[in-house]
Amino acid sequence: MSVQKSHRGAATLLMAPFFALFLGTLVVPIGYAAYLSLFTERSSGLGFGGTETLFTGLGNYLHALGDPAFRAGFGVIAGYVLGYIPVMVGGALVLALLLDSTLARAKRFFQLTLYLPHAVPGIIAAIIWLYLYTPGLSPVVAALREGGLTWNFLSSDHALSSVINISLWEWVGYNVVIFYAALQAIPREVVEAASVDGAGELRTALSIKLPMIRAAVVMTVLFTVIGALQLFTEPMILNGANPAVNTTWTPNMYAYDAAFRRGDYGVAAASSILLALVAALLSFVVTRIGNRKGAA
Amino acid sequence: MTATMTKPPVTRPAPAASRAPRRKPMWASKIAVNTALVLATAYTVLPLTWLLVASTKSLGDLSGNAFTLTEFHFFENLGDLASADGGVYLRWYLNSLLYAVGGAGLGAFCSVACGYAFDKFSFKGKEKLFGVVLLGVLVPTTALALPLYLLASELGVVNTFWAVFVPVLVNPFGVYLARIFSASYVPGEVLEAARVDGAGELTTFWSISLKMLMPGFVTIFLFQFTGIWNNFFLPLVMLSDRELYPLSLGLYSWHTVVTAEPEYYPLTITGALLAVVPVVIAFLSLQRHWKAGMTSGAVK
């Protein structure tokens, strides 16, 4: 399409509102946090009477990185990602392919019921599951006990699996819907051609459909990793119920703790920035891996 | 849920053109496939069923046997919910609606306008600028909440409606979607024709393109609505005045006192149940819309 002078004004006008918001609520806050992360407040005495702001350069970053609690948070996230992503992506893919097969019935019903948990605010999902983990309140724990299984969801050993289960419950259906929508976009002729050539449902699913929705899968892995780094709400609810989940269990909890419990804005800003940097790095890695295996 | 992970045996629906022998009768595969789906559905639905049943129970009946229907206490719970803490729950509900409907409406409109401009106009550095938008998709929203708080406290707008409302407007992923929608829903010929007729670009966008982009707008709106409705971290950081709380934060504030004051158990449970309703409606309309959108996209 040719550019004319008259279009420039229109394009600018149409883009201006979004970019104003983008600057004000994304770029500026990050810049401001980066600036704040270079300073530290020293209170000389009690209360707010005499605080002085000192430039520390990378001091806050070194403080955060040197803090075993902050580093342990990334260890928790690593364990969470390794446990959660394969189960979530694998499960959502299998379910979406089943839904897309000619054998599935009541597709709309299944889509809706699988998606339902995603409609539940994360904080409420975490509360529901905490009640379902709590012995005496929970039918799940009671049922397991009837079957002769004692599984303590709230013991330190099971902290990670209990959090993963909440995330899985919230997200698996959402990703089924995303994958299913991608599968629907595959031209039907392609699928029909495969079946005319004698490919079975399973063969079609694995060799035709799966490669065609690769982009959607890579995107989902990417968003899931970014989401994992921000893990906050679910452990926040389990904090206090599960002894392993302390107030700095994940990097995000650490940053929150720094800002609101310790009142150390410099360290809070620094750990937020570090978290965003790790997210950016991982995004880059995931997209690179995604693009390397042939064009999606 | 390992049951959903095991792939059931699947055979093909042996079309007329294929002469390969069948391995298994069709009905067996059908049963296997649908059983797997039913099992997965049970996993997603049972906790919500528990929530539904629990909301009909009084505090005394809550512990013990969860799925047995005891005395039907739902309306009493509703009454308690309406009057608890001076009727603050209704206030939270209205706040959530305002944040989510207003925020998603405005935000989706900005995203659609911007995505449309990315698709239909060319200018220098366009793809670089679009790359910046995509980078914005990757910024973790929760990691952004603290910087936003620090900035808001510097500006003195912490604990105001705007502190929660403005940051949720921005939706880079919406711009990405809108660009795709614009490419598939708004044919270039339409713009050419409008130009020949002497209509200005903005007039064309407002009166012609926007109608064609409607399915895209609704999709972006509903996703954003859900996101804002479920938003917890930003309000948690920004708000201390409970009159401004959205539902998520309000229910959390109740949850934190349940151990000390168990009468908040039924309130939290019933309140949580009602909080889920709008997002379910949003999804249902999204589904309807997608069905319509698919056919309208196929025109030509």
Side-chain angles (χ1 to χ4, degrees), chain B residues 235-279:
Chain B
L236 172 76
V237 168
M238 290 285 189
L239 301 176
S240 50
D241 176 5
R242 65 186 310 173
E243 293 292 301
L244 293 171
Y245 282 8
L247 275 172
S248 56
L249 188 56
L251 289 168
Y252 174 71
S253 71
W254 276 354
H255 167 78
T256 49
V257 296
V258 276
T259 3
E261 302 173 54
E263 65 270 22
Y264 279 103
Y265 263 119
L267 289 177
T268 310
I269 288 169
T270 314
L273 180 71
L274 293 186
V276 174
V277 174
V279 209

Short mmCIF file of all heavy atoms in Angstrom, two decimals, chain B residues 235-279:
data_model
loop_
_atom_site.label_atom_id
_atom_site.label_comp_id
_atom_site.label_asym_id
_atom_site.label_seq_id
_atom_site.Cartn_x
_atom_site.Cartn_y
_atom_site.Cartn_z
N PRO B 235 -3.84 -4.52 42.41
CA PRO B 235 -4.64 -3.92 43.48
C PRO B 235 -4.04 -4.17 44.87
O PRO B 235 -4.09 -3.29 45.73
CB PRO B 235 -6.01 -4.60 43.38
CG PRO B 235 -6.01 -5.36 42.13
CD PRO B 235 -4.64 -5.41 41.56
N LEU B 236 -3.49 -5.36 45.07
CA LEU B 236 -2.88 -5.67 46.37
C LEU B 236 -1.80 -4.66 46.71
O LEU B 236 -1.68 -4.19 47.84
CB LEU B 236 -2.29 -7.08 46.33
CG LEU B 236 -1.46 -7.50 47.55
CD1 LEU B 236 -2.36 -7.84 48.73
CD2 LEU B 236 -0.56 -8.69 47.23
N VAL B 237 -1.03 -4.31 45.69
CA VAL B 237 0.09 -3.40 45.90
C VAL B 237 -0.41 -1.96 46.05
O VAL B 237 0.08 -1.20 46.88
CB VAL B 237 1.06 -3.51 44.70
CG1 VAL B 237 2.07 -2.40 44.71
CG2 VAL B 237 1.78 -4.85 44.74
N MET B 238 -1.42 -1.60 45.26
CA MET B 238 -1.83 -0.20 45.16
C MET B 238 -2.82 0.26 46.22
O MET B 238 -2.82 1.42 46.62
CB MET B 238 -2.47 0.07 43.79
CG MET B 238 -1.51 0.01 42.63
SD MET B 238 -0.49 1.48 42.57
CE MET B 238 0.31 1.24 40.98
N LEU B 239 -3.71 -0.62 46.63
CA LEU B 239 -4.88 -0.16 47.39
C LEU B 239 -4.80 -0.50 48.87
O LEU B 239 -4.43 -1.62 49.25
CB LEU B 239 -6.16 -0.76 46.81
CG LEU B 239 -6.45 -0.45 45.34
CD1 LEU B 239 -7.70 -1.20 44.89
CD2 LEU B 239 -6.62 1.04 45.11
N SER B 240 -5.17 0.45 49.69
CA SER B 240 -5.34 0.13 51.11
C SER B 240 -6.77 0.46 51.55
O SER B 240 -7.22 -0.03 52.58
CB SER B 240 -4.33 0.92 51.94
OG SER B 240 -4.36 2.28 51.59
N ASP B 241 -7.48 1.26 50.75
CA ASP B 241 -8.85 1.62 51.08
C ASP B 241 -9.80 0.53 50.57
O ASP B 241 -9.94 0.34 49.36
CB ASP B 241 -9.18 2.97 50.41
CG ASP B 241 -10.62 3.38 50.63
OD1 ASP B 241 -11.35 2.67 51.36
OD2 ASP B 241 -11.04 4.41 50.07
N ARG B 242 -10.44 -0.18 51.49
CA ARG B 242 -11.25 -1.33 51.07
C ARG B 242 -12.45 -0.94 50.21
O ARG B 242 -13.03 -1.78 49.53
CB ARG B 242 -11.68 -2.15 52.27
CG ARG B 242 -12.62 -1.44 53.22
CD ARG B 242 -12.87 -2.28 54.45
NE ARG B 242 -13.26 -3.64 54.10
CZ ARG B 242 -13.39 -4.62 55.01
NH1 ARG B 242 -13.17 -4.38 56.26
NH2 ARG B 242 -13.76 -5.82 54.64
N GLU B 243 -12.82 0.32 50.23
CA GLU B 243 -13.92 0.78 49.37
C GLU B 243 -13.55 0.71 47.89
O GLU B 243 -14.41 0.71 47.02
CB GLU B 243 -14.28 2.23 49.72
CG GLU B 243 -14.89 2.42 51.09
CD GLU B 243 -16.28 1.81 51.21
OE1 GLU B 243 -17.16 2.23 50.42
OE2 GLU B 243 -16.50 0.92 52.05
N LEU B 244 -12.25 0.68 47.61
CA LEU B 244 -11.79 0.67 46.21
C LEU B 244 -11.43 -0.75 45.76
O LEU B 244 -11.15 -0.97 44.58
CB LEU B 244 -10.55 1.55 46.05
CG LEU B 244 -10.73 3.05 46.23
CD1 LEU B 244 -9.37 3.74 46.27
CD2 LEU B 244 -11.57 3.62 45.10
N TYR B 245 -11.45 -1.71 46.68
CA TYR B 245 -11.03 -3.08 46.35
C TYR B 245 -11.85 -3.68 45.21
O TYR B 245 -13.06 -3.49 45.16
CB TYR B 245 -11.22 -4.01 47.56
CG TYR B 245 -10.18 -3.91 48.63
CD1 TYR B 245 -9.20 -2.94 48.62
CD2 TYR B 245 -10.18 -4.83 49.68
CE1 TYR B 245 -8.25 -2.88 49.63
CE2 TYR B 245 -9.23 -4.77 50.70
CZ TYR B 245 -8.28 -3.79 50.67
OH TYR B 245 -7.35 -3.73 51.67
N PRO B 246 -11.18 -4.41 44.32
CA PRO B 246 -11.95 -5.31 43.45
C PRO B 246 -12.25 -6.59 44.23
O PRO B 246 -11.73 -6.79 45.33
CB PRO B 246 -10.99 -5.59 42.30
CG PRO B 246 -9.63 -5.44 42.90
CD PRO B 246 -9.77 -4.40 44.00
N LEU B 247 -13.06 -7.46 43.64
CA LEU B 247 -13.46 -8.69 44.32
C LEU B 247 -12.28 -9.54 44.76
O LEU B 247 -12.27 -10.06 45.88
CB LEU B 247 -14.32 -9.53 43.36
CG LEU B 247 -15.79 -9.20 43.34
CD1 LEU B 247 -16.45 -9.97 42.21
CD2 LEU B 247 -16.43 -9.57 44.67
N SER B 248 -11.30 -9.70 43.87
CA SER B 248 -10.19 -10.60 44.18
C SER B 248 -9.51 -10.20 45.48
O SER B 248 -9.26 -11.03 46.36
CB SER B 248 -9.19 -10.60 43.03
OG SER B 248 -8.75 -9.29 42.75
N LEU B 249 -9.25 -8.91 45.61
CA LEU B 249 -8.56 -8.42 46.79
C LEU B 249 -9.47 -8.46 48.02
O LEU B 249 -9.04 -8.79 49.12
CB LEU B 249 -8.05 -7.00 46.54
CG LEU B 249 -7.15 -6.40 47.59
CD1 LEU B 249 -5.94 -7.26 47.84
CD2 LEU B 249 -6.71 -5.00 47.19
N GLY B 250 -10.75 -8.14 47.81
CA GLY B 250 -11.70 -8.17 48.91
C GLY B 250 -11.82 -9.57 49.51
O GLY B 250 -11.76 -9.75 50.73
N LEU B 251 -11.99 -10.57 48.62
CA LEU B 251 -12.11 -11.94 49.11
C LEU B 251 -10.83 -12.39 49.80
O LEU B 251 -10.87 -13.11 50.80
CB LEU B 251 -12.45 -12.89 47.95
CG LEU B 251 -13.87 -12.71 47.40
CD1 LEU B 251 -14.03 -13.44 46.09
CD2 LEU B 251 -14.89 -13.21 48.42
N TYR B 252 -9.70 -11.94 49.27
CA TYR B 252 -8.43 -12.28 49.91
C TYR B 252 -8.37 -11.69 51.32
O TYR B 252 -7.94 -12.35 52.26
CB TYR B 252 -7.25 -11.76 49.07
CG TYR B 252 -5.91 -11.95 49.73
CD1 TYR B 252 -5.35 -13.21 49.86
CD2 TYR B 252 -5.20 -10.86 50.23
CE1 TYR B 252 -4.12 -13.38 50.48
CE2 TYR B 252 -3.97 -11.02 50.84
CZ TYR B 252 -3.44 -12.28 50.96
OH TYR B 252 -2.22 -12.45 51.57
N SER B 253 -8.85 -10.46 51.45
CA SER B 253 -8.81 -9.83 52.77
C SER B 253 -9.70 -10.58 53.76
O SER B 253 -9.39 -10.65 54.95
CB SER B 253 -9.22 -8.35 52.68
OG SER B 253 -10.60 -8.23 52.44
N TRP B 254 -10.79 -11.16 53.25
CA TRP B 254 -11.63 -12.00 54.13
C TRP B 254 -10.93 -13.31 54.46
O TRP B 254 -10.97 -13.78 55.58
CB TRP B 254 -12.97 -12.29 53.45
CG TRP B 254 -13.96 -11.19 53.64
CD1 TRP B 254 -13.81 -10.08 54.43
CD2 TRP B 254 -15.26 -11.10 53.06
NE1 TRP B 254 -14.94 -9.30 54.36
CE2 TRP B 254 -15.85 -9.90 53.52
CE3 TRP B 254 -15.99 -11.90 52.18
CZ2 TRP B 254 -17.12 -9.49 53.16
CZ3 TRP B 254 -17.27 -11.50 51.80
CH2 TRP B 254 -17.83 -10.30 52.28
N HIS B 255 -10.28 -13.88 53.41
CA HIS B 255 -9.62 -15.17 53.60
C HIS B 255 -8.54 -15.08 54.68
O HIS B 255 -8.33 -16.03 55.43
CB HIS B 255 -9.02 -15.67 52.30
CG HIS B 255 -8.08 -16.80 52.46
ND1 HIS B 255 -8.51 -18.10 52.65
CD2 HIS B 255 -6.73 -16.85 52.50
CE1 HIS B 255 -7.45 -18.88 52.81
NE2 HIS B 255 -6.36 -18.16 52.71
N THR B 256 -7.86 -13.95 54.74
CA THR B 256 -6.75 -13.83 55.70
C THR B 256 -7.24 -13.83 57.15
O THR B 256 -6.44 -14.06 58.04
CB THR B 256 -5.93 -12.54 55.47
OG1 THR B 256 -6.84 -11.44 55.37
CG2 THR B 256 -5.11 -12.63 54.21
N VAL B 257 -8.54 -13.59 57.37
CA VAL B 257 -9.00 -13.59 58.76
C VAL B 257 -9.79 -14.85 59.13
O VAL B 257 -10.23 -14.97 60.27
CB VAL B 257 -9.86 -12.34 59.09
CG1 VAL B 257 -9.02 -11.08 58.96
CG2 VAL B 257 -11.10 -12.27 58.22
N VAL B 258 -9.94 -15.80 58.17
CA VAL B 258 -10.79 -16.96 58.49
C VAL B 258 -10.30 -17.77 59.69
O VAL B 258 -11.12 -18.30 60.43
CB VAL B 258 -10.96 -17.97 57.33
CG1 VAL B 258 -12.04 -17.57 56.38
CG2 VAL B 258 -9.70 -18.26 56.65
N THR B 259 -8.99 -17.89 59.82
CA THR B 259 -8.51 -18.72 60.93
C THR B 259 -8.92 -18.12 62.27
O THR B 259 -9.30 -18.84 63.17
CB THR B 259 -6.97 -18.87 60.88
OG1 THR B 259 -6.49 -18.10 59.78
CG2 THR B 259 -6.59 -20.30 60.71
N ALA B 260 -8.89 -16.81 62.35
CA ALA B 260 -9.29 -16.16 63.60
C ALA B 260 -10.81 -16.06 63.72
O ALA B 260 -11.37 -16.21 64.80
CB ALA B 260 -8.66 -14.78 63.68
N GLU B 261 -11.48 -15.78 62.59
CA GLU B 261 -12.93 -15.60 62.63
C GLU B 261 -13.59 -16.51 61.59
O GLU B 261 -13.84 -16.09 60.46
CB GLU B 261 -13.29 -14.14 62.35
CG GLU B 261 -12.64 -13.18 63.32
CD GLU B 261 -12.86 -11.73 62.92
OE1 GLU B 261 -14.03 -11.35 62.73
OE2 GLU B 261 -11.87 -11.00 62.77
N PRO B 262 -13.89 -17.76 61.99
CA PRO B 262 -14.37 -18.76 61.03
C PRO B 262 -15.69 -18.37 60.33
O PRO B 262 -16.01 -18.95 59.30
CB PRO B 262 -14.57 -20.02 61.89
CG PRO B 262 -13.80 -19.77 63.12
CD PRO B 262 -13.76 -18.30 63.34
N GLU B 263 -16.43 -17.42 60.88
CA GLU B 263 -17.70 -17.06 60.21
C GLU B 263 -17.44 -16.47 58.82
O GLU B 263 -18.36 -16.33 58.02
CB GLU B 263 -18.54 -16.10 61.04
CG GLU B 263 -17.94 -14.73 61.28
CD GLU B 263 -17.09 -14.68 62.56
OE1 GLU B 263 -16.63 -15.74 63.03
OE2 GLU B 263 -16.91 -13.57 63.08
N TYR B 264 -16.17 -16.14 58.52
CA TYR B 264 -15.85 -15.65 57.18
C TYR B 264 -15.69 -16.78 56.17
O TYR B 264 -15.62 -16.53 54.97
CB TYR B 264 -14.58 -14.78 57.21
CG TYR B 264 -14.86 -13.36 57.67
CD1 TYR B 264 -14.54 -12.96 58.95
CD2 TYR B 264 -15.47 -12.45 56.81
CE1 TYR B 264 -14.81 -11.66 59.38
CE2 TYR B 264 -15.74 -11.15 57.23
CZ TYR B 264 -15.41 -10.77 58.52
OH TYR B 264 -15.69 -9.49 58.93
N TYR B 265 -15.63 -18.03 56.63
CA TYR B 265 -15.55 -19.16 55.69
C TYR B 265 -16.72 -19.17 54.70
O TYR B 265 -16.51 -19.11 53.48
CB TYR B 265 -15.51 -20.49 56.46
CG TYR B 265 -14.12 -21.05 56.65
CD1 TYR B 265 -13.59 -21.25 57.92
CD2 TYR B 265 -13.33 -21.39 55.55
CE1 TYR B 265 -12.31 -21.77 58.11
CE2 TYR B 265 -12.05 -21.91 55.73
CZ TYR B 265 -11.54 -22.09 57.01
OH TYR B 265 -10.28 -22.60 57.18
N PRO B 266 -17.97 -19.24 55.19
CA PRO B 266 -19.09 -19.26 54.22
C PRO B 266 -19.13 -17.99 53.38
O PRO B 266 -19.49 -18.06 52.19
CB PRO B 266 -20.33 -19.35 55.12
CG PRO B 266 -19.87 -19.58 56.49
CD PRO B 266 -18.41 -19.36 56.58
N LEU B 267 -18.76 -16.86 53.96
CA LEU B 267 -18.78 -15.61 53.19
C LEU B 267 -17.78 -15.68 52.03
O LEU B 267 -18.09 -15.32 50.89
CB LEU B 267 -18.41 -14.43 54.10
CG LEU B 267 -19.45 -14.01 55.14
CD1 LEU B 267 -18.91 -12.89 56.00
CD2 LEU B 267 -20.74 -13.57 54.45
N THR B 268 -16.56 -16.16 52.33
CA THR B 268 -15.53 -16.26 51.29
C THR B 268 -15.97 -17.23 50.21
O THR B 268 -15.82 -16.95 49.01
CB THR B 268 -14.20 -16.73 51.90
OG1 THR B 268 -13.91 -15.93 53.05
CG2 THR B 268 -13.06 -16.60 50.92
N ILE B 269 -16.53 -18.36 50.62
CA ILE B 269 -16.92 -19.39 49.65
C ILE B 269 -18.07 -18.90 48.77
O ILE B 269 -18.02 -19.00 47.54
CB ILE B 269 -17.30 -20.69 50.39
CG1 ILE B 269 -16.02 -21.34 50.93
CG2 ILE B 269 -18.05 -21.65 49.48
CD1 ILE B 269 -16.25 -22.49 51.89
N THR B 270 -19.11 -18.34 49.38
CA THR B 270 -20.25 -17.86 48.59
C THR B 270 -19.83 -16.67 47.72
O THR B 270 -20.22 -16.57 46.56
CB THR B 270 -21.40 -17.43 49.52
OG1 THR B 270 -21.59 -18.44 50.50
CG2 THR B 270 -22.69 -17.24 48.75
N GLY B 271 -19.02 -15.80 48.29
CA GLY B 271 -18.52 -14.65 47.53
C GLY B 271 -17.69 -15.08 46.34
O GLY B 271 -17.79 -14.50 45.25
N ALA B 272 -16.87 -16.11 46.52
CA ALA B 272 -16.05 -16.63 45.44
C ALA B 272 -16.92 -17.19 44.32
O ALA B 272 -16.67 -16.97 43.13
CB ALA B 272 -15.12 -17.71 45.97
N LEU B 273 -17.98 -17.89 44.72
CA LEU B 273 -18.88 -18.48 43.72
C LEU B 273 -19.49 -17.39 42.83
O LEU B 273 -19.47 -17.48 41.61
CB LEU B 273 -19.98 -19.28 44.43
CG LEU B 273 -20.98 -19.94 43.49
CD1 LEU B 273 -20.32 -21.11 42.78
CD2 LEU B 273 -22.20 -20.43 44.25
N LEU B 274 -20.00 -16.33 43.45
CA LEU B 274 -20.63 -15.25 42.69
C LEU B 274 -19.60 -14.52 41.82
O LEU B 274 -19.93 -13.99 40.76
CB LEU B 274 -21.30 -14.25 43.63
CG LEU B 274 -22.52 -14.76 44.40
CD1 LEU B 274 -23.15 -13.62 45.17
CD2 LEU B 274 -23.55 -15.39 43.48
N ALA B 275 -18.34 -14.52 42.28
CA ALA B 275 -17.29 -13.79 41.55
C ALA B 275 -16.94 -14.47 40.24
O ALA B 275 -16.33 -13.87 39.36
CB ALA B 275 -16.06 -13.65 42.42
N VAL B 276 -17.30 -15.74 40.12
CA VAL B 276 -16.93 -16.50 38.93
C VAL B 276 -17.93 -16.27 37.79
O VAL B 276 -17.59 -16.41 36.61
CB VAL B 276 -16.84 -18.00 39.29
CG1 VAL B 276 -16.61 -18.85 38.08
CG2 VAL B 276 -15.72 -18.21 40.29
N VAL B 277 -19.16 -15.88 38.15
CA VAL B 277 -20.24 -15.81 37.16
C VAL B 277 -19.93 -14.94 35.94
O VAL B 277 -20.06 -15.41 34.80
CB VAL B 277 -21.56 -15.37 37.85
CG1 VAL B 277 -22.65 -15.14 36.82
CG2 VAL B 277 -21.99 -16.41 38.87
N PRO B 278 -19.48 -13.67 36.11
CA PRO B 278 -19.30 -12.82 34.93
C PRO B 278 -18.28 -13.36 33.94
O PRO B 278 -18.46 -13.23 32.73
CB PRO B 278 -18.80 -11.50 35.51
CG PRO B 278 -19.22 -11.52 36.92
CD PRO B 278 -19.20 -12.93 37.34
N VAL B 279 -17.24 -13.99 34.45
CA VAL B 279 -16.20 -14.47 33.53
C VAL B 279 -16.70 -15.68 32.74
O VAL B 279 -16.32 -15.87 31.59
CB VAL B 279 -14.91 -14.81 34.30
CG1 VAL B 279 -13.72 -14.60 33.40
CG2 VAL B 279 -14.77 -13.93 35.50
#
